[in-house]
Amino acid sequence: MNVLSLTAKQIAELVLTGSLSPVDVVEAYLDRAKRLNPKINAFITIAEEQARRSAEELEKRLRKGFSGKFVGVPVAVKDVISTKGIETTCASRVLKGYIPPYDATVIRRLKAEGAIVMGKTNMDEFAMGSSTELSAYGPTRNPWNLERVVGGSSGGSGASVAARMAPIALGSDTGGSIRCPAAFCNIVGLKPTYGTVSRYGLISYACSLEQIGPMTLDVDDCALLMEVITGKDGFDSTMIDYKFKWTPREVKGLRLAVPKEFFGEGTDERVVDKVWTIIKLLESQGAVYEEISFPLARYVLACYYIIAMSEASSNLARYDGVRYGFPCDLSSPWYDSYSKVRGEGFGVEVKRRIILGCFALSAGYYGRYYLKALKLRTMIRDHVLSILKNFDVIVTPTTPFPPFKIGERIEDPLALYMADVDTVVANLAGVPAISVPAGFVDGLPVGAQFMANYCHEDLLLTIAKCIQDETKFHTKVPEEARL
């Protein structure tokens, strides 16, 4: 039995029956991660020592009767989520050497179910990017083609799962950062309803948009991970009282809305064909679809980036060398020290977003940009909810194109932002959305995205399960990860 070919659910079941030991599982994944990471660069930190220690402690607890949903399962964690005793950098020089003294709530809940943190994954700096090229630790490469990007900003988490360097991973999704790498890596990625997963311990980029969520090889692991990480948390005042539970059902009778604007200009025809194949598949299983219009689609990207950059400029003010960041020179004037810390600590994209966010929030332009974006966000949310009154889900491509070459768009920020054009709607509206493998274009994965009403993740997983069972795309393994 090759443990690396198992899902998280299968690993936990075998550990509980005594057929596998947590130490053997961890050693297998650590060995693979150490061998592949020099090529793929999925991990910033492989927490070898901590993972081994956790596995040994878990074995002792198992002998005393301990049980859990993720017993002995290694989990890769995006480097923006705090992990006690493990360096957390947000892929930025400014946080190099920072070791949180506490676990994020999601990590605490996973550990309570027997999961083992095996490392921190690469990402765009402070989650600002769409390709995982904007990391102070270098780009992550796509296991399906090492010359291609992996999607962002949770690209390291996506690559680690696709390359079987970890059976499951956690990402964070501010404008598609879980779903884009899921699509580019041929895995399942879910952005939960805003407020259903605690953000305590998530290092903030844009508080009103971001959400922690699962990235997994299959739908069953995604559902199991959601069961563990959802639920009210006293450390996060923005949460709603919701606990995820999923019972699979048929898709027969489900109503799909297909907004034509997300299949038009700027979207690769080969991607459109693959997503329509998925829609037709669902129709053959009893779902019904209708093409609709989403006239606000042309404004979603501008609206998203004004709000996200404004919130980023506020959230990142704390990295001044006094509160966070490497120590400033106290012998210099404060403004020189601040400038040095932030100038040397942040990368070019982070600086760009801070400057644009400060501009949008400035006294002379607040009404022209930020306030207008907030009003537009309300209109977009209302339009999404009005569609979901008549339909169960909205279907779009996850990204408008397949994985592009590393460096191809890096000099043109607007071209890079276009990767998020299909996904930001869900973050602006706060609704859940999932990316499901939808096939391949020239050997590269593409994804189909489904959005549902608040707390209807069960519908999304029902549709994803149907697609998974009918296509088996999730069983395909990239050449770099052949076992």
Side-chain angles (χ1 to χ4, degrees), residues 268-278:
D268 190 307
E269 289 184 2
R270 299 168 299 172
V271 173
V272 171
D273 287 344
K274 293 298 177 187
V275 178
W276 269 109
T277 302
I278 294 297

Side-chain angles (χ1 to χ4, degrees), residues 198-257:
S198 173
R199 288 183 296 112
Y200 178 71
L202 173 68
I203 297 175
S204 278
Y205 152 34
C207 310
S208 75
L209 299 162
E210 60 204 4
Q211 189 66 83
I212 296 173
M215 303 178 77
T216 60
L217 282 174
D218 75 356
V219 174
D220 296 290
D221 278 358
C222 185
L224 200 59
L225 200 41
M226 280 292 289
E227 282 184 21
V228 171
I229 64 175
T230 54
K232 203 160 174 59
D233 176 25
F235 291 114
D236 183 353
S237 61
T238 64
M239 291 199 70
I240 58 175
D241 193 4
Y242 167 78
K243 187 67 181 171
F244 174 78
K245 192 70 182 173
W246 179 50
T247 303
R249 51 179 268 203
E250 292 184 345
V251 299
K252 187 177 180 180
L254 290 182
R255 300 157 299 167
L256 318 178

